[in-house]
Amino acid sequence: MFKFKNVFKSILPKGGVKFFLFILVTIVVTYRTPREIASLWYVVTLVLYFNSKDEAFWLAFYLVTVDGFMGFFGIYSVTIQLIPGLPAIELVQFYIVLSMIKALRSKNRPYVFYQKYLAVLLLYLIFMVAWGQLMGLSGGLNVYFRVMKLTLPMLLFYSVPRLFSESTSYRRIFSFVFIILILAFITQVFTLITGLSPAGFVHLTEEQLMEAGVFRGFSSVMSSLLGLFGALVYLSYKEPVFNRFYLYVVIACAFGNAYLSAGRGWIVFFSLAIFLSFIFAYKFSPKRLFGFGAVFAAFFILGLDNPTIRKQSDFTMKRLTTLEVLAAGDITAGGTLARLDKRSPRVLKKWAENPVFGWGFSDVLFDFGDGHVGNQNILLFSGVVGFMLLIGFLLFFCYKLFARYLKLPKIILNKKAYLVFIFMFLGWFFLHSSGGQQFSFYGMPLQIIPQAVFFSFGALLYAKPSELSK
């Protein structure tokens, strides 16, 4: 029997009201008060975080400040001016430093199966900083500031496994992310119908998301990615941690976000992860098939009933059909893709001048680096050696989880969750290779937070298979 009480319990996690009050206050001070008042509030949140044990609450909050929330926030919107004359620093960067301090002070020392490999990558990153100096890095203090802000988020790969050492911590972070994801879908539908994001509707921002009558935005993109991953993992559990119907809605909203954005790489990524998980990680009963089918059918019918959404859907389908042209040999995908015929050759030509170690953090990276071509950009930055190390780590992670899946006895009912990690990664790497760089030796907090959660959760379930039953 469908129990609405259980659904509501899943939708609003403990502390949910407090969470949204914090977001509301942050919206007000960010868009309606002087910088000094806003900075004071940001510092208050950092003090509260440092004295809190609710890591999931704060990680979700700081993710929102860079990933966006219903049209509010985004990269470089929630910042603190620490040193006059230098670029402002994102609030989340301070959170990362504090999380590292808390991790160092914590007595938790969980087993992380890829820890030694991670140490090798860290050493290579340090080498890339020094190598970049040798290759030439000009500019003032702001350039070195930029290098620091690109490398600092990598600390999350150390702090998150130590601060999120129980499966309940991940369940809690996902409970926040799920509702952010659903609200992001509502935001995209609202924007399609009105032509304005909620923030623009109340005159707090002037962001233009409609181009020639079609929508080219993606609300809370990394929350959608992280939420899809969490929903797919928990749907593989025999005994549901979240209400299954709720997870179907989360998956449908995540896919809806990608579909309405008309981002080909994202649509293929989400489709691949969902399809492989449903085929190989789930055992569907007629009841579950009906429930999942009903959710997607409802989204489809309601969408086609609105002419604006129907127009956006037609635009998305036209974008997807260009992949057929690409498969037929047209590397421009009918003139809609510049990655293969323009961006990639430019990056590879410069990489070929220094192929073994690449250019590191040098002027070349900032002049020729291009996040639209992920693997080529890794070669430019770290050379063949760095590329092999990084790809080796990703393959090592997947191999270890798959080997764990094969060795575990059938008594571990939820062990197919390991497969979801692999399927999610396959889609994610497709996006990295075709739609924009995701993995590297450096990154912005917006990119690194989902990766830190993804790999750390995998490490926990590898070290403690018993957590799969919790």
Side-chain angles (χ1 to χ4, degrees):
M1 182 178 177
F2 187 75
K3 297 181 180 180
F4 285 99
K5 182 179 178 180
N6 292 339
V7 175
F8 292 137
K9 185 178 179 180
S10 297
I11 289 176
L12 192 63
K14 182 180 179 181
V17 173
K18 174 185 172 183
F19 180 76
F20 290 108
L21 281 175
F22 266 73
I23 292 176
L24 178 61
V25 173
T26 307
I27 289 172
V28 172
V29 300
T30 300
Y31 294 99
R32 280 290 184 258
T33 67
R35 177 183 290 273
E36 293 76 15
I37 300 297
S39 296
L40 179 61
W41 167 249
Y42 301 156
V43 172
V44 168
T45 68
L46 293 172
V47 173
L48 292 174
Y49 162 66
F50 194 66
N51 291 282
S52 172
K53 295 182 179 180
D54 193 351
E55 295 294 334
F57 177 98
W58 291 104
L59 179 57
F61 172 75
Y62 288 114
L63 173 61
V64 160
T65 64
V66 287
D67 194 31
F69 178 81
M70 299 190 73
F72 301 94
F73 307 136
I75 299 177
Y76 306 126
S77 65
V78 183
T79 61
I80 297 177
Q81 187 73 46
L82 188 64
I83 303 176
L86 289 178
I89 304 175
E90 292 175 282
L91 176 62
V92 69
Q93 295 277 13
F94 294 97
Y95 156 75
I96 291 169
V97 173
L98 292 181
S99 72
M100 184 66 178
I101 295 173
K102 291 178 73 171
L104 290 171
R105 293 173 55 183
S106 173
K107 295 181 179 180
N108 273 338
R109 290 294 181 267
Y111 173 68
V112 179
F113 71 86
Y114 54 76
Q115 186 169 339
K116 292 182 179 178
Y117 205 134
L118 207 60
V120 173
L121 296 181
L122 174 61
L123 290 175
Y124 197 78
L125 173 59
I126 295 172
F127 171 68
M128 283 292 98
V129 174
W131 183 251
Q133 292 290 313
L134 294 175
M135 294 297 99
L137 181 62
S138 60
L141 188 59
N142 63 316
V143 176
Y144 293 92
F145 218 53
R146 184 179 180 184
V147 172
M148 182 193 72
K149 291 199 294 183
L150 286 172
T151 54
L152 198 62
M154 308 309 286
L155 294 176
L156 289 170
F157 285 101
Y158 175 87
S159 63
V160 171
R162 287 155 182 78
L163 298 175
F164 288 73
S165 57
E166 302 293 336
S167 61
T168 51
S169 299
Y170 292 95
R171 187 189 315 167
R172 183 157 170 74
I173 181 66
F174 286 121
S175 68
F176 287 112
V177 171
F178 288 163
I179 195 167
I180 294 169
L181 183 163
I182 292 172
L183 291 174
F185 177 74
I186 294 172
T187 299
Q188 296 206 166
V189 173
F190 177 87
T191 303
L192 272 171
I193 295 173
T194 67
L196 289 170
S197 70
F201 189 77
V202 295
H203 309 295
L204 289 183
T205 70
E206 298 179 355
E207 185 179 10
Q208 181 64 35
L209 296 175
M210 300 294 288
E211 300 176 9
V214 294
F215 181 69
R216 292 311 314 274
F218 196 149
S219 300
S220 302
V221 57
M222 287 304 174
S223 294
S224 296
L225 184 160
L226 195 56
L228 174 66
F229 163 62
L232 291 176
V233 167
Y234 289 118
L235 199 57
S236 71
Y237 280 34
K238 302 294 184 181
E239 295 295 329
V241 175
F242 293 90
N243 180 278
R244 291 192 184 278
F245 182 81
Y246 180 49
L247 294 178
Y248 297 154
V249 171
V250 170
I251 293 170
C253 286
F255 183 79
N257 285 338
Y259 186 79
L260 292 178
S261 75
R264 290 169 295 195
W266 286 95
I267 294 173
V268 175
F269 167 18
F270 283 14
S271 298
L272 189 62
I274 294 171
F275 176 77
L276 291 177
S277 296
F278 275 46
I279 294 298
F280 298 105
Y282 305 149
K283 183 178 181 181
F284 274 105
S285 64
K287 180 181 177 181
R288 292 181 185 178
L289 284 172
F290 175 78
F292 186 75
V295 171
F296 266 82
F299 275 66
F300 181 76
I301 294 171
L302 290 174
L304 292 183
D305 188 57
N306 183 279
T308 306
I309 297 178
R310 187 164 60 246
K311 179 181 178 181
Q312 179 71 14
S313 179
D314 291 340
F315 173 69
T316 298
M317 293 307 299
K318 288 179 181 178
R319 294 268 297 170
L320 290 174
T321 55
T322 60
L323 296 176
E324 297 179 8
V325 181
L326 178 64
D330 181 0
I331 62 174
T332 69
T336 65
L337 188 66
R339 288 181 176 87
L340 298 181
D341 68 325
K342 293 181 180 179
R343 295 180 181 276
S344 179
R346 180 174 181 269
V347 174
L348 289 177
K349 182 179 179 181
K350 198 63 184 178
W351 160 71
E353 297 177 13
N354 203 8
V356 179
F357 296 117
W359 293 94
F361 286 109
S362 66
D363 291 337
V364 170
L365 174 67
F366 297 122
D367 292 338
F368 289 86
D370 191 337
H372 290 86
V373 283
N375 292 316
Q376 296 90 326
N377 212 43
I378 294 174
L379 286 169
L380 178 74
F381 171 73
S382 60
V384 173
V385 175
F387 180 83
M388 293 179 65
L389 284 173
L390 184 59
I391 299 302
F393 168 75
L394 299 174
L395 293 176
F396 173 75
F397 178 84
C398 291
Y399 165 75
K400 294 290 284 186
L401 289 188
F402 185 66
R404 196 65 154 172
Y405 164 74
L406 293 177
K407 291 181 180 179
L408 283 178
K410 291 184 178 180
I411 195 174
I412 305 296
L413 298 178
N414 301 325
K415 70 174 189 174
K416 285 191 175 181
Y418 292 122
L419 297 180
V420 176
F421 280 84
I422 298 171
F423 301 149
M424 188 71 184
F425 169 75
L426 290 176
W428 205 344
F429 192 76
F430 174 87
L431 175 68
H432 165 84
S433 301
S434 62
Q437 183 169 341
Q438 300 292 314
F439 306 102
S440 185
F441 288 89
Y442 61 87
M444 299 298 292
L446 178 60
Q447 298 171 306
I448 304 305
I449 289 176
Q451 293 179 33
V453 173
F454 175 80
F455 289 109
S456 299
F457 194 19
L460 172 68
L461 296 184
Y462 179 89
K464 300 179 180 180
S466 59
E467 295 285 338
L468 285 168
S469 302
K470 297 180 180 179

